[in-house]
Coordinates of all heavy atoms in Angstrom, one line a residue:
Q925 N -77.6 103.1 -138.1 CA -77.1 102.8 -136.7 C -76.2 104.0 -136.3 O -76.3 104.5 -135.2 CB -76.2 101.6 -136.8 CG -77.0 100.3 -136.9 CD -76.1 99.0 -136.9 OE1 -74.9 99.2 -136.7 NE2 -76.7 97.9 -137.0
S926 N -75.4 104.6 -137.3 CA -74.6 105.8 -136.9 C -75.5 106.9 -136.5 O -75.3 107.6 -135.5 CB -73.8 106.1 -138.1 OG -72.9 105.0 -138.4
H927 N -76.6 107.2 -137.3 CA -77.5 108.3 -137.0 C -78.1 108.1 -135.7 O -78.3 109.0 -134.9 CB -78.5 108.4 -138.1 CG -78.0 109.0 -139.4 ND1 -77.2 110.0 -139.4 CD2 -78.2 108.6 -140.7 CE1 -76.9 110.3 -140.7 NE2 -77.4 109.4 -141.5
H928 N -78.5 106.8 -135.4 CA -79.1 106.5 -134.1 C -78.1 106.7 -132.9 O -78.5 107.3 -131.9 CB -79.6 105.0 -134.1 CG -80.2 104.6 -132.8 ND1 -81.5 105.1 -132.3 CD2 -79.8 103.7 -131.8 CE1 -81.8 104.5 -131.2 NE2 -80.8 103.7 -130.9
E929 N -76.9 106.3 -133.1 CA -76.0 106.6 -132.1 C -75.7 108.1 -131.9 O -75.5 108.5 -130.8 CB -74.6 105.9 -132.5 CG -74.7 104.4 -132.4 CD -73.5 103.7 -132.8 OE1 -72.5 104.4 -133.3 OE2 -73.4 102.5 -132.9
I930 N -75.6 108.8 -133.0 CA -75.4 110.3 -132.9 C -76.6 110.9 -132.2 O -76.4 111.8 -131.3 CB -75.3 110.9 -134.3 CG1 -73.9 110.4 -134.9 CG2 -75.3 112.4 -134.2 CD1 -73.7 110.8 -136.4
K931 N -77.8 110.4 -132.5 CA -79.0 111.0 -131.9 C -79.0 110.7 -130.4 O -79.3 111.5 -129.6 CB -80.2 110.4 -132.6 CG -81.6 110.9 -132.1 CD -82.7 110.4 -132.8 CE -84.1 111.0 -132.3 NZ -85.2 110.5 -133.0
Q932 N -78.6 109.5 -130.0 CA -78.5 109.1 -128.6 C -77.4 110.0 -127.9 O -77.7 110.4 -126.8 CB -78.1 107.6 -128.4 CG -79.3 106.7 -128.7 CD -78.9 105.2 -128.4 OE1 -77.8 104.8 -128.6 NE2 -79.8 104.5 -128.0
D933 N -76.3 110.2 -128.6 CA -75.2 111.0 -128.0 C -75.7 112.4 -127.8 O -75.5 113.1 -126.8 CB -74.0 111.0 -128.8 CG -73.4 109.6 -128.9 OD1 -73.6 108.8 -127.9 OD2 -72.6 109.3 -129.8
S934 N -76.5 112.9 -128.8 CA -77.0 114.3 -128.8 C -78.0 114.4 -127.7 O -78.0 115.4 -126.9 CB -77.6 114.7 -130.1 OG -76.7 114.6 -131.1
S935 N -78.9 113.4 -127.5 CA -79.9 113.4 -126.4 C -79.2 113.4 -125.1 O -79.6 114.2 -124.1 CB -80.8 112.3 -126.5 OG -81.5 112.3 -127.8
L936 N -78.1 112.6 -125.0 CA -77.4 112.5 -123.7 C -76.7 113.9 -123.4 O -76.8 114.3 -122.2 CB -76.3 111.4 -123.8 CG -75.6 111.1 -122.5 CD1 -76.4 110.7 -121.4 CD2 -74.5 110.1 -122.8
L937 N -76.1 114.4 -124.4 CA -75.4 115.7 -124.2 C -76.5 116.8 -123.8 O -76.1 117.6 -122.9 CB -74.7 116.1 -125.6 CG -73.9 117.4 -125.5 CD1 -72.8 117.3 -124.4 CD2 -73.3 117.7 -126.9
R938 N -77.6 116.8 -124.5 CA -78.6 117.8 -124.1 C -79.1 117.6 -122.7 O -79.3 118.6 -122.0 CB -79.8 117.6 -125.1 CG -80.8 118.8 -125.0 CD -82.0 118.6 -126.0 NE -81.5 118.3 -127.4 CZ -81.6 117.2 -128.0 NH1 -82.2 116.2 -127.4 NH2 -81.2 117.0 -129.2
Q939 N -79.3 116.4 -122.3 CA -79.7 116.1 -120.9 C -78.7 116.6 -119.9 O -79.0 117.1 -118.9 CB -80.0 114.6 -120.7 CG -80.5 114.2 -119.3 CD -80.8 112.8 -119.3 OE1 -80.6 112.1 -120.3 NE2 -81.3 112.4 -118.1

Side-chain angles (χ1 to χ4, degrees):
Q925 290 179 0
S926 300
H927 288 313
H928 179 67
E929 292 173 359
I930 293 173
K931 187 175 180 180
Q932 283 184 329
D933 293 341
S934 301
S935 301
L936 181 61
L937 180 61
R938 191 181 306 112
Q939 184 178 359

